Amino acid sequence: MKRCILSLVSLIFALHVSAQGPEVLIPAPAEVTVTGGSYKFSKKGPKVKVQRLPEGEMPAEAYRIIITKRGITISTSDWGTEACPGAGLSYALQTLDQMTAEGTVHELQCCEIYDYSRFPYRGLHVDVSRHFRSVDFLKKQIDAMAMFKMNRMHIHLTDAAGWRLQIDAYPRLTQFAAWRSQHTWKEWWAGDRHYAEEGDPGAYGGYYTKEEIRDLVSYARARHIEIIPEIEMPSHSEEVLAAYPELGCSGEAYQDSDFCVGNEEVFNFLETVLDEVMEVFPSEYIHIGGDEAGKQHWKTCPKCQKRMQEEGLKDVDELQSYMIKRMARYVESKGRKVIGWDEILDGGLAEGAAVMSWRGTEGGIAAMNMGHDVVMSPGRYCYLDHTQDAPFKEPQSIGGYLPLDSVYVYEPLEPSMPADKVHHLKGVQANLWSEYIVTDEHAEYMYWPRAIALAETGWSLPGNKDVKNFRQRVLRMLEIMRAKGYQTFDLENEYGERDGFLTGVDHKAKGCKVIYNKPIQDWYQAAGEKTFTDGVIGGWTYSDNRWQGFLSDIDVTIDMGSVQPVSYVGGTFMQLIGPGVFMPRKVDILVSEDGEDFTYVATIENDVPTSAEELTFRTFETSCDLNARYIRYHAYRSTMRGFLFLDEVVVN
Ligand code: ACM
């Protein structure tokens, strides 16, 4: 409590400028004119008049605010009803709340704001399967989303780690598939990956009752947020197939992750589940997953093979497409639409299906070209499960590095999108997968402020965006959020990229030719043959195009052009065992004057254990006192196999 009062006091102090202008708003409004003078009002709040324009006079969600010395006028044609204000009116009120810092500022600059959204879909994703989240947590995030005019919450309700929705026709989904004996996903994943009975001592998990969902949906609707449920198919379904093994190809529990597409009972199951889902979620879209199906068992399963023969399907991609198309038709027959991850393109996209593009934007663009609606959620900009600051100071994450600025700079409209198809680009979504995110507090910390960056991308015109200015506005918003009890990332004390990332490194071999004794491989080429001598230092993630990756030894010889004194040779590797990135077993360093006779200088053995879970960097280096033109740097692949990643070989 004391902390709350203190932060409220500091908030008032920090925010109490004499007359607050509209420059603080997030998302940045479409058009703003500061007209001069200010409007002072009492602690009871400003005088606000609402002008209800005829329907259609302004676009959906749009509003105008005029602040004069005498008061505030809001006009919108999206005003809703007395009981339930329309989005236009609600967004106008959110804008005023931001300007007055939730009622702590009592003087506003006179101005006119005309505002509307760039994209109709501005989403946030919650993974409640890996770790269950309370309804209160979801409502709290909905409140924050509303502050920033986000309007879709996508709930990932089903996955191997637990089923999270009451389904009356299939009670084992919640009596059994919603529980496990390990609290954390990591322990469960490293263990037997089994499920527990509801009520077993120590059973971890949970699910939402239909009553709770109805309450959540209406809470969200009152804030102009639609909740989109996701029911995974055909894969990520281990929990269903443990509860109802007859729905998998093997017919046995703990054997399958994909539904058996040859089994008619699977379609009865999915249709019944979706009926119950649609009964409680009135959303336009129903998300049916579709990602990362292994499809292995389908290749030998007699039922799947029979289905392929009967339907004339040439491969298992077409078998997946058969399932998705059939489910899309079913959902459409109920007056809804399906949306799925971009893998639903494989084998042919279902008519009318929308695509959520996560593996990049190519899938989304292909779908747009075919006339399908698309939500962009590329991992590189929108995956909030990546760490948001230097990994050494952050909670352990699944990997990757995605600071606020990198989310913010994402521009969804790409030059390769044909002008006559851009209306299919419906918007953007930030995703928070929660394998490593156990608590509600940690999840909240991962959302804010990065979700705010995507909220602005979804709402504001690109010409109104500015990364530096956004940062200032976010700092103010974070004060407001913290005063309301949100656990946010401490942006003020952001460490930022790895040392040397921005400045690079100057050294003797910079710009010198690199001879590859083992060829560069297809993945992670970074700057190709220049990578190890370009003076460019890799960042916190191997996917930043600065690290060269090898599934073999790295064995290179650097030609410095002339014989020179050499006193140091070193290269830095990273280890991140989740995705299989390891330190080399050892590095040999050799030198030569003529490129033929090499003198051995040093072997540097690895001392980082392969069990070290956190992201670790280690420089394999040696000091020496030699003359050489050629430096051979040979890193031996770990006994754990996996990738080696190296960014630069520094010679001095
Ligand atoms: C996904 O990240 N598998 C959609």
Side-chain angles (χ1 to χ4, degrees), residues 16 39-48 69-72 100 102-108:
H16 197 79
Y39 170 48
K40 273 196 197 126
F41 44 90
S42 76
K43 290 214 164 83
K44 279 198 250 146
K47 261 197 293 184
V48 181
K69 289 176 185 164
R70 286 180 301 284
I72 300 174
T100 62
E102 311 265 334
T104 59
V105 169
H106 301 106
E107 186 177 354
L108 299 179

Side-chain angles (χ1 to χ4, degrees), residues 226-246:
E226 184 171 84
I227 306 220
I228 299 176
E230 179 182 355
I231 304 296
E232 274 276 17
M233 64 188 80
S235 197
H236 284 281
S237 299
E238 289 87 340
E239 83 292 20
V240 179
L241 303 175
Y244 295 98
E246 65 276 17

Side-chain angles (χ1 to χ4, degrees), residues 61 229 259 273 286 300 319 327 352 489 515 530 551 583 618:
E61 304 185 307
F259 285 106
V273 165
I286 301 294
T300 50
L319 188 59
M327 296 318 300
F489 170 69
I515 301 150
K530 297 192 182 80
L551 280 172
M583 292 293 166
R618 157 92 156 88

Side-chain angles (χ1 to χ4, degrees), residues 351-412:
E351 211 174 301
V355 168
M356 193 167 268
S357 195
W358 73 280
R359 292 179 296 179
T361 57
E362 298 81 0
I365 295 172
M368 285 168 66
N369 279 323
M370 290 184 243
H372 291 256
D373 287 349
V374 165
V375 173
M376 286 298 183
S377 191
R380 174 142 183 238
Y381 299 102
C382 300
Y383 269 42
L384 306 186
D385 48 338
H386 296 174
T387 194
Q388 62 195 311
D389 200 3
F392 67 79
K393 66 176 274 283
E394 291 301 299
Q396 190 187 359
S397 79
I398 199 153
Y401 171 59
L402 187 67
L404 179 72
D405 293 0
S406 300
V407 181
Y408 189 74
V409 298
Y410 174 51
E411 169 46 47

Side-chain angles (χ1 to χ4, degrees), residues 498-536:
R498 217 174 137 230
D499 293 346
F501 183 89
L502 292 176
T503 54
V505 59
D506 210 4
H507 60 97
K508 261 193 182 153
K510 189 171 165 187
C512 293
K513 182 176 162 60
V514 180
I515 301 150
Y516 281 77
N517 305 316
K518 288 208 181 286
I520 297 187
Q521 301 185 339
D522 287 346
W523 322 270
Y524 304 103
Q525 296 208 357
E529 292 182 355
K530 297 192 182 80
T531 303
F532 294 148
T533 53
D534 59 4
V536 172

Side-chain angles (χ1 to χ4, degrees), residues 92-103 476 480:
L93 295 172
Q94 290 287 359
T95 293
L96 286 176
D97 270 353
Q98 284 195 7
M99 284 182 77
T100 62
E102 311 265 334
R476 177 181 183 274
I480 294 174

Side-chain angles (χ1 to χ4, degrees), residues 232 236 291-292 341 343 358 383 431 433:
E232 274 276 17
H236 284 281
D291 58 320
E292 299 180 311
W341 302 110
E343 287 94 331
W358 73 280
Y383 269 42
N431 295 338
W433 299 104

